[in-house]
Coordinates of all heavy atoms in Angstrom, one line a residue:
T10 N 186.8 67.3 107.9 CA 187.4 66.7 109.1 C 187.1 67.6 110.3 O 187.9 67.6 111.3 CB 188.9 66.6 108.9 OG1 189.4 67.8 108.6 CG2 189.2 65.6 107.8
N12 N 186.2 69.2 113.7 CA 186.0 68.7 115.0 C 185.1 69.7 115.7 O 184.7 70.7 115.2 CB 187.3 68.5 115.8 CG 188.0 69.8 116.0 OD1 187.4 70.8 116.5 ND2 189.3 69.9 115.6
P20 N 176.2 81.2 117.7 CA 175.3 80.3 118.5 C 173.8 80.7 118.3 O 173.5 81.9 118.3 CB 175.7 80.7 120.0 CG 177.1 81.2 119.9 CD 177.2 81.9 118.5
H30 N 163.3 66.9 136.1 CA 162.8 65.6 136.7 C 161.4 65.4 136.3 O 160.6 66.3 136.1 CB 162.9 65.7 138.2 CG 164.3 65.9 138.7 ND1 164.9 67.1 138.7 CD2 165.1 65.0 139.3 CE1 166.1 66.9 139.3 NE2 166.3 65.7 139.7
L34 N 162.5 60.7 138.6 CA 163.3 60.4 137.4 C 164.1 61.7 136.9 O 163.4 62.7 136.6 CB 162.5 59.9 136.3 CG 163.1 59.4 135.0 CD1 163.9 58.1 135.3 CD2 162.1 59.1 133.9
H35 N 165.4 61.6 136.9 CA 166.2 62.7 136.5 C 166.4 62.6 134.9 O 167.3 62.1 134.4 CB 167.6 62.7 137.2 CG 168.2 64.0 137.2 ND1 169.3 64.2 138.1 CD2 168.0 65.2 136.6 CE1 169.7 65.5 137.9 NE2 168.9 66.1 137.1
L63 N 164.4 66.6 125.7 CA 165.3 67.7 125.4 C 164.7 68.6 124.2 O 164.7 69.8 124.3 CB 166.7 67.2 125.0 CG 167.7 68.3 124.5 CD1 168.0 69.3 125.7 CD2 169.0 67.6 124.1
D81 N 168.6 82.3 119.9 CA 169.0 83.6 119.2 C 169.1 84.7 120.3 O 168.6 85.8 120.1 CB 167.9 83.9 118.2 CG 168.5 84.7 117.0 OD1 169.7 84.9 117.0 OD2 167.7 85.1 116.2
G89 N 152.3 83.6 126.6 CA 151.8 84.7 125.9 C 152.4 84.9 124.5 O 152.8 84.0 123.8
R124 N 147.2 82.7 110.3 CA 146.8 83.1 111.6 C 147.8 83.8 112.4 O 147.5 84.7 113.1 CB 146.4 81.8 112.4 CG 145.1 81.2 111.9 CD 144.3 80.5 113.0 NE 143.2 79.8 112.5 CZ 142.7 78.7 112.9 NH1 143.3 78.1 114.0 NH2 141.7 78.1 112.4
L141 N 155.7 73.2 99.1 CA 155.3 71.8 98.8 C 156.0 71.2 97.6 O 156.3 70.0 97.5 CB 153.7 71.8 98.6 CG 152.9 72.0 99.8 CD1 151.4 72.2 99.5 CD2 153.0 70.8 100.8
Q163 N 154.7 63.0 106.0 CA 155.8 63.6 106.8 C 156.4 64.8 106.0 O 156.9 65.8 106.6 CB 156.8 62.5 107.2 CG 157.8 63.0 108.2 CD 157.2 63.4 109.5 OE1 156.4 64.3 109.6 NE2 157.6 62.7 110.6
A166 N 154.4 67.7 106.7 CA 154.7 68.2 108.1 C 155.9 69.1 108.0 O 156.0 70.1 108.7 CB 154.8 67.1 109.1
R169 N 155.0 72.3 106.4 CA 154.3 73.1 107.3 C 155.2 73.9 108.3 O 155.0 75.1 108.5 CB 153.3 72.3 108.1 CG 152.5 73.1 109.1 CD 151.4 72.3 109.7 NE 152.0 71.2 110.6 CZ 151.3 70.4 111.3 NH1 150.0 70.4 111.3 NH2 151.9 69.4 112.0
L171 N 158.4 74.6 107.6 CA 159.2 75.6 106.7 C 158.4 76.8 106.4 O 159.0 77.9 106.2 CB 159.6 74.9 105.4 CG 160.7 73.8 105.5 CD1 160.8 73.2 104.1 CD2 162.0 74.4 106.0
M173 N 156.8 78.7 108.1 CA 156.9 79.8 109.1 C 158.3 80.4 109.1 O 158.6 81.2 109.9 CB 156.6 79.2 110.5 CG 155.1 78.8 110.6 SD 154.0 80.1 110.5 CE 154.0 80.8 112.1
E190 N 160.2 51.6 102.8 CA 160.4 52.2 101.5 C 160.1 53.7 101.4 O 160.4 54.3 100.4 CB 159.5 51.4 100.4 CG 158.0 51.7 100.5 CD 157.3 50.9 101.5 OE1 157.9 50.3 102.4 OE2 156.0 50.8 101.3
T213 N 167.4 60.9 115.7 CA 167.2 59.8 114.7 C 168.3 58.7 114.9 O 169.3 59.0 115.4 CB 167.3 60.3 113.2 OG1 167.0 59.3 112.3 CG2 168.6 60.9 112.9
A219 N 172.9 60.8 109.5 CA 173.9 61.4 110.4 C 175.2 61.6 109.7 O 175.9 62.6 109.8 CB 174.0 60.6 111.7
K221 N 175.9 61.7 106.5 CA 175.8 62.6 105.4 C 175.6 64.0 105.8 O 176.2 64.9 105.2 CB 174.7 62.2 104.5 CG 175.1 61.6 103.1 CD 173.9 61.3 102.3 CE 173.9 59.8 101.9 NZ 172.7 59.3 101.3
A230 N 172.4 59.2 127.2 CA 172.0 58.1 128.0 C 171.7 58.5 129.4 O 172.4 59.4 129.9 CB 173.2 57.0 128.0
S249 N 182.7 55.9 125.0 CA 182.2 55.3 126.2 C 181.6 53.9 126.0 O 181.3 53.5 124.9 CB 181.0 56.2 126.7 OG 180.0 56.2 125.7
K253 N 179.4 52.4 122.9 CA 179.8 51.1 122.2 C 178.7 50.1 122.2 O 178.3 49.4 121.2 CB 181.0 50.6 122.8 CG 182.3 51.4 122.4 CD 183.5 50.8 123.2 CE 184.6 51.8 123.1 NZ 185.7 51.6 124.0
F255 N 175.4 50.7 122.7 CA 174.3 51.1 121.9 C 174.5 50.8 120.4 O 173.7 50.3 119.7 CB 174.0 52.6 122.2 CG 172.9 53.2 121.4 CD1 171.6 52.9 121.7 CD2 173.2 54.0 120.3 CE1 170.6 53.4 120.9 CE2 172.2 54.5 119.5 CZ 170.9 54.2 119.8
L260 N 173.7 48.9 114.8 CA 174.5 48.9 113.5 C 174.4 47.5 112.9 O 174.3 46.5 113.6 CB 175.9 49.4 113.7 CG 176.0 50.9 114.0 CD1 177.5 51.2 114.1 CD2 175.4 51.7 113.0

Side-chain angles (χ1 to χ4, degrees):
T10 56
N12 62 53
H30 296 77
L34 186 68
H35 203 165
L63 177 62
D81 213 3
R124 287 211 188 144
L141 287 170
Q163 191 61 302
R169 183 173 61 176
L171 288 175
M173 294 297 276
E190 74 273 19
T213 184
K221 250 185 237 167
S249 62
K253 286 177 194 165
F255 176 76
L260 290 182

